[in-house]
Amino acid sequence: MYEIKENFALKKYNTFGIDVKTRFFVVCKSEKEITDFITIQQNTTLPLMILGGGSNVLFADDFKGYILKPDIKGVDIVKETESEVTVRAGAGEDWDEFVAYCVEHGWGGVENLSLIPGNLGTCPIQNIGAYGVEVKDVITEVETIEIDTQKKYVFTNYQCKFGYRDSIFKRKLKGKHLISHVTFRLNKQPEFKLEYGNLKEALGSFEDITLKNIRKAVIAIREAKLPDPDEIGNAGSFFKNPVVTQEKLKKLQQKYSDIPFYPLTDNKVKIPAGWLIEKSGWKGKRKGNVGVHHKQALVLVNYGDATGEEILHLAKNIQQTIIIQFDIELEMEVNVV
Ligand code: EPU
């Protein structure tokens, strides 16, 4: 049975380490506990928020309602062939422990997504991605509970409407469904994806290319660049990499011949926001309790006792600079509550 805690401190439940409170906090360990709890919560007037690993959220203030943390565990094989394995996992599993488990079993597909903080259940919401892989590449189904009706749903990959750091759960269904399980199709004869950035280079120091070594290399790159949230509060990339037209890129190239970009379809390109922020002089800057990480400009950090408002203020200043200097609007990647 779940326990409802009152005036609960959230500092340990968000990787930014913002010291806010929620009026009520509850951890549910099964679908039944979740539906039982929601039935009761719906008789109140207070709002409900679902919180995963807290690695992509910025609390600007105390939360004056109920926070529900789904903690459904379990990783089960639902289908296995010579070449593939289909695995269903509970939303409360830790994402990186799941990746380690897959790598350990020789199942390929998620190794490039090593060391991403957060819970497994939130991976489809923003379609987590790194080093040339997005989780949508391996998700077959997402199981949810609709909050208003407590009805269970199964979304196919197509129905999730995945995009770059995007899905139906961030748009039309935002706040309407709770993810209980995710099913993945993994490859027992994996094809390695090594084209992104310096991944191949980082693998150079290993004798051969295996899932385990790719995981080690990704971890090494991330540890070298990204701050550990246990040491310095942060939520990974704070902004999305902006997408602009080829014409816009050409204009920018006249002034900045070294601007990096990744070509997309539809005459569009993606520009690393980290480059824009670094070029504008913000990288490594600190203002009181908050700052821009000195090794990766896309990451905003809490040096100690920052409030959500301070982080937001910094983010807005950066957005303004980027508009003035490059005429590009940076969209926040984290959810502001
Ligand atoms: N760059 C700079 N300065 C910086 C940071 C980046 O100039 O301070 C430029 C460099 O040219 C570099 C390029 O940006 O080559 C790309 O940098 P990086 O490989 O670090 O990737 P990113 O575009 O900054 C994205 C994801 C990360 C993911 C990495 C690796 C987004 C918003 N971020 O960052 O995801 O780990 O690629 O695939 O797409 C996250 O979402 O929290 C996250 C960390």
Side-chain angles (χ1 to χ4, degrees):
M1 181 64 184
Y2 58 80
E3 182 193 345
I4 301 177
K5 296 187 173 141
E6 205 171 341
N7 290 325
F8 188 80
L10 292 170
K11 195 171 162 76
K12 283 193 197 133
Y13 291 82
N14 71 101
T15 60
F16 251 126
I18 305 292
D19 196 5
V20 284
K21 284 200 169 84
T22 173
R23 178 78 197 280
F24 296 109
F25 184 80
V26 59
V27 176
C28 291
K29 293 194 179 298
S30 65
E31 284 173 290
K32 172 139 192 339
E33 281 194 7
I34 291 168
T35 50
D36 284 355
F37 168 71
I38 294 176
T39 316
I40 291 168
Q41 180 273 332
Q42 286 194 332
N43 288 324
T44 75
T45 51
L46 296 179
L48 173 68
M49 178 189 161
I50 313 298
L51 181 69
S55 59
N56 205 43
V57 60
L58 175 63
F59 285 102
D61 207 346
D62 286 338
F63 187 71
K64 295 170 185 70
Y66 289 91
I67 287 187
L68 162 55
K69 192 171 158 63
D71 196 26
I72 300 173
K73 298 280 200 228
V75 178
D76 299 299
I77 295 180
V78 289
K79 192 175 160 200
E80 190 164 8
T81 65
E82 286 266 295
S83 56
E84 284 176 350
V85 57
T86 305
V87 181
R88 176 178 182 259
E93 291 289 337
D94 175 76
W95 172 257
D96 191 53
E97 279 172 27
F98 174 72
V99 173
Y101 185 84
C102 295
V103 166
E104 210 50 52
H105 284 76
W107 305 335
V110 286
E111 59 284 356
N112 292 35
L113 305 178
S114 290
L115 208 65
I116 295 181
N119 277 12
L120 186 142
T122 43
C123 79
I125 300 178
Q126 57 144 340
N127 180 24
I128 58 171
Y131 309 103
V133 172
E134 288 183 325
V135 76
K136 73 164 171 58
D137 304 338
V138 288
I139 288 180
T140 57
E141 280 175 5
V142 175
E143 289 166 62
T144 71
I145 297 169
E146 188 179 37
I147 290 168
D148 275 354
T149 60
Q150 291 108 61
K151 242 176 82 180
K152 288 184 194 175
Y153 281 78
V154 180
F155 289 80
T156 62
N157 180 298
Y158 178 76
Q159 290 170 327
C160 291
K161 293 198 195 312
F162 288 121
Y164 165 60
R165 293 292 190 280
D166 201 20
S167 77
I168 194 164
F169 307 111
K170 253 182 104 169
R171 297 200 176 258
K172 201 173 132 201
L173 300 186
K174 188 171 179 181
K176 293 191 169 19
H177 284 242
L178 174 153
I179 294 169
S180 61
H181 296 87
V182 184
T183 302
F184 304 87
R185 189 186 294 132
L186 302 163
N187 207 327
K188 287 160 81 177
Q189 287 129 30
E191 283 167 27
F192 305 131
K193 290 202 179 144
L194 311 173
E195 297 315 312
Y196 185 94
N198 54 347
L199 184 52
K200 236 183 222 164
E201 215 179 285
L203 270 161
S205 55
F206 294 97
E207 232 165 57
D208 43 21
I209 298 176
T210 61
L211 292 179
K212 282 185 188 168
N213 287 344
I214 295 173
R215 175 166 164 80
K216 281 186 193 157
V218 168
I219 289 176
I221 301 173
R222 290 187 73 98
E223 281 180 340
K225 263 196 180 175
L226 297 167
D228 177 353
D230 286 339
E231 283 157 26
I232 304 177
N234 76 91
S237 302
F238 195 89
F239 301 102
K240 282 166 78 163
N241 286 331
V243 173
V244 304
T245 60
Q246 288 275 2
E247 292 82 72
K248 171 88 192 173
L249 174 70
K250 282 205 189 98
K251 246 193 220 164
L252 289 166
Q253 281 171 325
Q254 288 168 7
K255 202 165 172 198
Y256 308 98
S257 55
D258 60 334
I259 188 166
F261 62 91
Y262 314 106
L264 304 171
T265 51
D266 298 345
N267 214 25
K268 301 254 172 74
V269 297
K270 200 191 273 176
I271 296 179
W275 184 89
L276 297 169
I277 297 169
E278 178 168 349
K279 203 77 183 172
S280 71
W282 275 106
K283 191 172 182 172
K285 284 264 158 72
R286 177 173 177 166
K287 288 201 161 182
N289 292 325
V290 299
V292 179
H293 191 55
H294 64 288
K295 287 187 189 156
Q296 164 56 288
L298 201 45
V299 178
L300 305 191
V301 296
N302 169 7
Y303 283 111
D305 299 315
T307 62
E309 283 299 336
E310 284 174 289
I311 303 260
L312 266 185
H313 187 70
L314 172 67
K316 283 180 184 154
N317 280 338
I318 294 171
Q319 281 174 318
Q320 241 163 15
T321 312
I322 302 302
I323 288 194
I324 293 168
Q325 191 168 343
F326 302 99
D327 189 25
I328 290 178
E329 232 172 281
L330 288 187
E331 191 188 329
M332 290 187 197
E333 205 237 295
V334 301
N335 283 313
V336 179
V337 178

